[in-house]
Amino acid sequence: MSVAASPSHTNNGSPLLVDEESLLAQPLLQQQRRLDEEEEERLEKCRILRGSSSYNTTSQLAIVGANVCPIESLDYEIVENELFNQDWRSKGRIQILQYTFMKWTLCFLIGFIVSLIGFFNNLAVENISGVKFVVTSNMMLDRKYAVAFSIFAASNLGLTLLASLITAFIAPEAAGSGIPEVKAYLNGVDAPAIFSLRTLLIKMFGSIFAVSSSLYVGKAGPMSHTGACVAAIMGHGGSKNYRLTSKWLRFFKNDRDRRDLVTCGSAAGIAAAFRAPVGGLLFAFEEMASWWRSALLWRAFFATAVVAIVLRALIDVCLRGKCGLFGKGGLIMYEVTSANISYHLSDLPPVIVIGIIGGILGSLHNFLLERVTRLYNLIYEKSAAYKILLACSLSICTSCLLFGLPWLASCRPCPLDPVEPCPTIGRSGNYKKFQCPAGHYNDLASLFFNTNDNAIKNLFSKNTDSEFHHTSMLIFFITCFLLSLFSYGIVAPAGLFVPLIVTGASYGRLVGLLFGSYSNLNHGLFAVLGCASLLGGSMRTTVSLCVIILELTNNLLLLPLIMLSLLISKTVGDAFNENVYDMLMRVKGFPYLEAHVEPYMRQLAVADVVAGPLQLFNGIEKISNIVHVLKTTTHNAFPVVDEPPFSESPVLFGLILRAHLITLLKKKAFLHTPQRHVLNAMYQFSAYDFAKAGLGHRERIGDIDLSDEEMNMFIDLHPLSNSSPYTVVETMSLAKAFILFREVGLRHLLVIPKNPGRVPVVGILTRHDFFREHILTLHPSLKKSRWKRLRFQFPRLDILFRRFS
C-alpha cells in the first residue's frame, strides 16, 4: 500500500486553526462554505496516491465447504497500547493463577469431549455398517441377490443423501475433511463459520452417515476439524445470550489464545481417530500448526493423553460386550506380524521399490484430486441440487462396484487352520462367504463388504499370505484409488486419511504377492509399508505418520522399514508437486503463507510491492473523518501520525485496528476540542471492551448511529493505538520481510521511508502482498525468471484434464 503525503497540518486531519477576527468579519454563510470547501479538499487529498500506483488485486475470497466466502486475517500480534499496559500491570497473582488454571482446564475438557465424540462416531459407524452388511449377507445366504443389492444400494443412498442434505443446507462449511480450513486458520486466515456450533454438529453426524454409506471417505480429517471446533467454541469467552459472562471465561477472547486451543483440539481429534496420542500431537506440530512453542507442546500433549486414557477406558467397556453387536471394531490396534520379526539387507530392495512407487502414486493422486476438485467446483456453482445429485450418483456407482466386483473373484477354499471361523457369517472378518458354497470364501468380498477399518485389519493381518489372490488385490487397489479421488469432493464430511491407508495397504499387499517369495517379510508387513509410502507420497509428512502407523500396529520393530519407506516416498513426491493439503488450500483460495521463501523475493525490495490506497489518521481525529474512512475502505488497520503542534515534525505514533475504532465510536468517548486526553484510559474502558467477540459477531460501522453534533467532535486515538508496531525500511528485501511477517505471525507490517524528511509511513504490507499472483502482476518479467522450484510435471495428464480447469 502507499500513503497520501500531506503538505500541511490542516490537510492531514487535524482541526482547522482559523483566526477568530477574520471569521467574525465574514458573513456566516461564507464562513461555513469556506470551511466545507477546505474539509472536502482535505478528504480528497487523503485519497491521492503517492509512490506506487498499483492496487493489490489479490482475491480475498475462498471456497469454504462448497460456498465462496469472504475471509480475513487474524490478529496474533500483541497490541501494546496504554490500555494494554495498564491492564497488564494491574493483574495480580490471583488473576494469573486463574488464567493458568483455565488453560489447563480447557485442555482437559477438549481432550475429554473429543474422545467421547470420537468413540461415539466410531461406535455409530460400526453398528450402522454392521447391521447393513448383516442384512445384506442374510439375503445373499438365501440367494436373493437382487433383494440383497437393493437393500445394500438403498441403505447407502439413504445415508449419503442424508449426509449431503444436512451439509448442503445447514452447514456447507462442514464439507470435506476440514484439515485445510484448520491449517489455514492456524496460519492466520479466518474463514467464516468454520468453527461454529452448527458446523460441529453437522461434522459429527454427517461424518457418521458418510462413512457408514460405504463411500471411500475417512473420519480422521473430520475428527481433526471436530476437535478444532470444540476448542474454538470453548475459547469464545462465554456468551451473553446464555449468561455465561464470568471473568474466568473471558481470558481467551483473543486470537493468540484461541489459536493455541485450536491447535490442541486438532491434535486431540487425530489422536481420537486413530487412538494415537503421540501421533496426533506430532501431526498437529508437523502439518497443522504454523507457530509452535514448548508451552503449547506441553498442553497439547496433555490433551492427547486425556484422549488416550478415556478411549482406553471406553474400549474396555466394549470388550465386555456392552457396545452393541458390532461395538468391538475400530479403535483396536492392528496386528501385522509376530514379535520375533527379522529382516536383513536383502529385504531392503522391495522396501525401496515400494517407497519409490508410493511417491509416484501419491503425487499422481494429488494431481488428479486437484483436477477432480476443480471440476466439482464448477458443478457446485450451478445450484445445491447439483451437489446432492452428484453425491447420490457417486453413492449408486460405489454400491454397484462394491456389490458387482466380488462376482469377478473366484471362490477360494477355507484354510485348514483358520484363525477365525471360515466362512465369516453375521459379523466382520477375513472370510466373507458372499456367493460361494460352503467351505469357501470370496477374498474380494472380504475387502469390499466391510468397513474401511475392518478392510485395513484384513490387509494388515499376520499369517494371511495366501488369503488374497493377486488379481483380487489389483482390482481392489484400482477401485480404491479411483473411488478415493471422486468421493472426497462431495458435499459431505469426508476425510482422506483412511482411504489412503486402504489404498496404500492394497498396493503393498500386491507388491508382497509379486515379490514376497524373494523376501522374508510377510504380506501384512508389505501392506503396512505400502500404506506408509502412499501416505508419505501424498501428505509429505514423515515423523507424525511414522508414529501414527507404529501406534496403530503396536510394533516398534517396524520403525526402520517405515522410516525408510516414508523418506523415499516423500522425496519422490516432492519432485512432482506439493502435498495434498497445501494443494487443497490453493484450490480453495486460502492465502496460506508457506514456511519457505520463494527465490524471486530476494530480487525485490519492499517498496516494489507496496500498493495503495493507504488511509492514515492523526493522533486526534475528527469523528466524521473516521466514519468516512471506515465506510469507504475495508482496511483493518490504520497508521496514526502526530503532526505539529503535537510534535515538532510528522512522526509515526502507532497503528490502530478497525475493531478498536468501531468500539471507540460505539462507546462515544468524544472530545469537544482537539486536545490530548489527560484522563487515564482505564477509567473509561476496560480491556474486555476491546476483546475480540465470538465467531461471527463482528461490529460494523453501519450499526452505529451518530448525530450531526457528534460527527463534528473529536477523538483521541493515542490510548488505543499500538505504539510499537512492527516496521521495516522500504529498502529491505521482500524475502527478509516475508520471514519476519510469517515467523512473528503478523497481520500488518508497516513500511517506513529510508530517508528522513518524508512522510513517516510509506505503506502497509499485508498477507496478500507476499502472494505470487500479486507480485507477478506488478512485475510480469519475473514470470520468466530462472529462479523457480524444479519439479517434474505430468504433461499428458495435464493436457487431458486442462479442459476442466
Side-chain angles (χ1 to χ4, degrees):
M1 297 180 179
S2 59
V3 67
S6 302
S8 66
H9 169 59
T10 299
N11 289 332
N12 273 279
S14 293
L16 295 172
L17 302 178
V18 185
D19 185 74
E20 293 181 359
E21 294 181 0
S22 62
L23 286 176
L24 293 174
Q26 298 174 5
L28 182 61
L29 183 59
Q30 186 178 356
Q31 296 175 24
Q32 185 63 41
R33 185 182 297 112
R34 175 171 169 247
L35 291 174
D36 292 342
E37 289 175 354
E38 291 184 351
E39 179 66 12
E40 193 65 27
E41 181 183 2
R42 189 190 73 81
L43 292 176
E44 182 63 26
K45 288 184 177 180
C46 286
R47 298 198 269 283
I48 298 175
L49 292 177
R50 297 285 180 94
S52 174
S53 61
S54 301
Y55 290 79
N56 187 344
T57 57
T58 306
S59 173
Q60 297 189 21
L61 299 175
I63 300 175
V64 183
N67 292 337
V68 178
C69 303
I71 58 174
E72 292 187 2
S73 296
L74 296 168
D75 295 297
Y76 289 153
E77 181 184 1
I78 296 178
V79 177
E80 294 183 349
N81 53 34
E82 294 180 16
L83 183 63
F84 169 82
N85 292 334
Q86 294 173 27
D87 179 65
W88 179 79
R89 293 190 184 101
S90 66
K91 285 185 177 180
R93 179 176 298 180
I94 299 299
Q95 289 179 302
I96 296 175
L97 289 176
Q98 287 177 347
Y99 174 65
T100 305
F101 174 77
M102 283 303 300
K103 284 195 296 186
W104 288 99
T105 301
L106 288 182
C107 288
F108 171 80
L109 293 176
I110 289 170
F112 183 77
I113 295 174
V114 171
S115 60
L116 292 180
I117 293 175
F119 180 78
F120 168 74
N121 285 4
N122 183 79
L123 198 63
V125 169
E126 289 292 321
N127 281 279
I128 294 175
S129 300
V131 171
K132 177 183 65 178
F133 286 124
V134 165
V135 173
T136 305
S137 298
N138 290 337
M139 294 295 102
M140 295 288 292
L141 291 176
D142 295 338
R143 299 190 177 278
K144 299 178 180 179
Y145 301 127
V147 177
F149 173 73
S150 300
I151 294 175
F152 182 69
S155 58
N156 289 340
L157 180 61
L159 291 169
T160 302
L161 181 62
L162 185 57
S164 58
L165 282 175
I166 63 175
T167 304
F169 293 106
I170 299 179
E173 300 81 10
S177 68
I179 288 183
E181 285 80 2
V182 177
K183 187 175 179 179
Y185 179 87
L186 296 178
N187 190 257
V189 179
D190 186 17
I194 59 172
F195 296 139
S196 64
L197 179 61
R198 180 185 59 191
T199 302
L200 170 63
L201 295 176
I202 299 304
K203 202 77 178 185
M204 290 170 49
F205 293 100
S207 176
I208 292 174
F209 299 143
V211 176
S212 302
S213 67
S214 294
L215 291 174
Y216 267 74
V217 297
K219 57 180 182 291
M223 271 305 303
S224 180
H225 190 186
T226 299
C229 289
V230 171
I233 291 173
M234 297 181 69
H236 278 184
S239 172
K240 294 182 180 180
N241 296 333
Y242 299 100
R243 298 182 180 180
L244 299 174
T245 56
S246 171
K247 290 183 178 181
W248 288 45
L249 297 174
R250 296 188 293 182
F251 285 121
F252 305 97
K253 296 179 74 66
N254 61 84
D255 289 332
R256 284 179 71 91
D257 285 318
R258 287 178 185 172
R259 175 188 65 186
D260 293 348
L261 290 175
V262 169
T263 304
C264 295
S266 64
I270 294 294
F274 294 115
R275 207 182 73 174
V278 181
L281 171 67
L282 293 176
F283 187 80
F285 171 72
E286 186 178 7
E287 179 64 25
M288 305 290 288
S290 296
W291 298 282
W292 200 272
R293 61 186 189 279
S294 58
L296 179 58
L297 176 68
W298 179 222
R299 290 199 296 273
F301 180 76
F302 173 67
T304 57
V306 172
V307 171
I309 294 172
V310 174
L311 285 182
R312 180 69 264 177
L314 294 174
I315 288 174
D316 288 341
V317 174
C318 286
L319 292 177
R320 294 196 294 267
K322 298 182 180 180
C323 295
L325 295 176
F326 307 95
K328 297 181 180 180
L331 291 179
I332 306 297
M333 292 184 178
Y334 306 127
E335 295 183 356
V336 296
T337 187
S338 57
N340 58 353
I341 178 178
S342 62
Y343 43 86
H344 310 283
L345 290 177
S346 59
D347 299 319
L348 294 184
V351 178
I352 296 174
V353 171
I354 286 179
I356 294 174
I357 300 179
I360 297 174
L361 289 175
S363 57
L364 178 62
H365 175 274
N366 295 355
F367 173 78
L368 294 176
L369 184 64
E370 177 184 4
R371 303 298 167 173
V372 172
T373 304
R374 292 186 183 276
L375 175 61
Y376 281 3
N377 290 339
L378 294 177
I379 297 174
Y380 292 162
E381 290 177 357
K382 300 181 182 298
S383 67
Y386 286 88
K387 304 174 186 178
I388 308 300
L389 182 61
L390 178 62
C392 293
S393 301
L394 186 63
S395 174
I396 294 173
C397 292
T398 302
S399 298
C400 293
L401 290 174
L402 300 188
F403 192 89
L405 289 177
W407 293 88
L408 302 178
S410 58
C411 296
R412 300 171 64 85
C414 291
L416 297 178
D417 52 347
V419 180
E420 57 185 52
C422 179
T424 302
I425 299 176
R427 61 184 182 85
S428 60
N430 282 13
Y431 308 101
K432 287 289 184 178
K433 187 174 184 296
F434 205 64
Q435 88 291 4
C436 296
H440 292 72
Y441 70 97
N442 188 315
D443 59 345
L444 199 52
S446 299
L447 300 174
F448 279 135
F449 252 59
N450 258 326
T451 62
N452 288 333
D453 283 348
N454 290 324
I456 295 172
K457 285 184 183 181
N458 293 347
L459 293 170
F460 282 6
S461 57
K462 61 184 180 181
N463 302 324
T464 57
D465 291 1
S466 59
E467 288 189 7
F468 299 99
H469 193 268
H470 62 274
T471 304
S472 299
M473 291 310 308
L474 179 61
I475 295 174
F476 184 70
F477 164 69
I478 296 175
T479 305
C480 291
F481 189 86
L482 295 177
L483 288 180
S484 65
L485 288 174
F486 290 98
S487 300
Y488 176 77
I490 65 170
V491 58
L496 279 172
F497 227 117
V498 173
L500 286 176
I501 292 178
V502 177
T503 307
S506 60
Y507 146 71
R509 271 273 183 172
L510 182 60
V511 174
L513 288 170
L514 297 177
F515 302 102
S517 59
Y518 304 100
S519 173
N520 295 322
L521 307 178
N522 64 61
H523 294 183
L525 181 52
F526 271 109
V528 174
L529 297 177
C531 154
S533 67
L534 189 58
L535 286 173
S538 177
M539 297 184 179
R540 312 292 161 75
T541 54
T542 53
V543 180
S544 58
L545 288 178
C546 183
V547 174
I548 287 175
I549 294 173
L550 288 177
E551 289 183 294
L552 284 176
T553 57
N554 197 26
N555 197 323
L556 193 60
L557 296 175
L558 307 179
L559 178 62
L561 298 180
I562 295 176
M563 290 177 64
L564 180 62
S565 177
L566 283 170
L567 287 171
I568 294 175
S569 61
K570 172 179 167 51
T571 303
V572 174
D574 284 337
F576 289 93
N577 48 33
E578 57 195 340
N579 74 67
V580 64
Y581 295 125
D582 288 351
M583 178 272 296
L584 289 173
M585 283 191 296
R586 177 167 49 81
V587 172
K588 289 173 177 289
F590 290 119
Y592 182 82
L593 295 181
E594 298 283 353
H596 63 272
V597 176
E598 294 293 345
Y600 57 79
M601 289 186 179
R602 304 189 184 278
Q603 307 176 51
L604 299 173
V606 167
D608 295 328
V609 298
V610 288
L614 175 68
Q615 301 288 350
L616 54 84
F617 293 122
N618 285 323
I620 300 178
E621 187 59 86
K622 195 174 182 180
I623 302 300
S624 59
N625 299 337
I626 296 177
V627 173
H628 174 78
V629 171
L630 293 181
K631 287 185 175 180
T632 57
T633 67
T634 58
H635 304 326
N636 288 281
F638 305 90
V640 177
V641 177
D642 275 337
E643 295 186 354
F646 301 105
S647 63
E648 296 180 358
S649 61
V651 60
L652 175 65
F653 178 82
L655 190 73
I656 189 165
L657 300 179
R658 168 183 284 266
H660 291 179
L661 285 172
I662 293 177
T663 302
L664 282 174
L665 295 176
K666 185 178 179 181
K667 293 289 183 180
K668 297 187 177 182
F670 302 152
L671 305 174
H672 292 280
T673 58
Q675 59 184 5
R676 288 291 301 267
H677 204 310
V678 297
L679 296 178
N680 193 324
M682 286 295 291
Y683 292 116
Q684 284 189 300
F685 311 109
S686 68
Y688 294 119
D689 292 332
F690 298 91
K692 186 166 184 177
L695 301 177
H697 299 283
R698 296 184 180 92
E699 297 285 352
R700 302 184 184 277
I701 183 62
D703 300 332
I704 302 176
D705 294 326
L706 296 172
S707 65
D708 294 338
E709 180 182 359
E710 291 171 334
M711 292 288 280
N712 291 318
M713 298 176 71
F714 302 89
I715 194 167
D716 188 0
L717 303 181
H718 294 93
L720 270 299
S721 298
N722 184 1
S723 58
S724 57
Y726 284 91
T727 61
V728 295
V729 69
E730 60 182 341
T731 55
M732 177 184 288
S733 71
L734 189 62
K736 196 171 182 179
F738 174 83
I739 294 174
L740 173 65
F741 191 93
R742 190 187 188 279
E743 292 299 324
V744 181
L746 301 178
R747 183 175 185 177
H748 310 98
L749 183 59
L750 295 182
V751 181
I752 59 177
K754 177 71 172 178
N755 301 319
R758 299 170 55 190
V759 289
V761 58
V762 175
I764 298 180
L765 285 173
T766 61
R767 175 178 296 264
H768 293 277
D769 292 304
F770 295 101
F771 265 74
R772 181 176 181 272
E773 292 77 8
H774 171 60
I775 296 174
L776 295 183
T777 301
L778 298 177
H779 305 279
S781 59
L782 293 176
K783 294 180 181 179
K784 300 180 180 180
S785 174
R786 62 188 178 93
W787 301 103
K788 296 180 180 179
R789 181 174 295 186
L790 297 178
R791 273 178 174 160
F792 298 101
Q793 302 293 332
F794 295 100
R796 297 184 180 278
L797 291 175
D798 185 65
I799 294 174
L800 179 63
F801 288 91
R802 186 174 297 169
R803 68 187 64 178
F804 301 124
S805 299

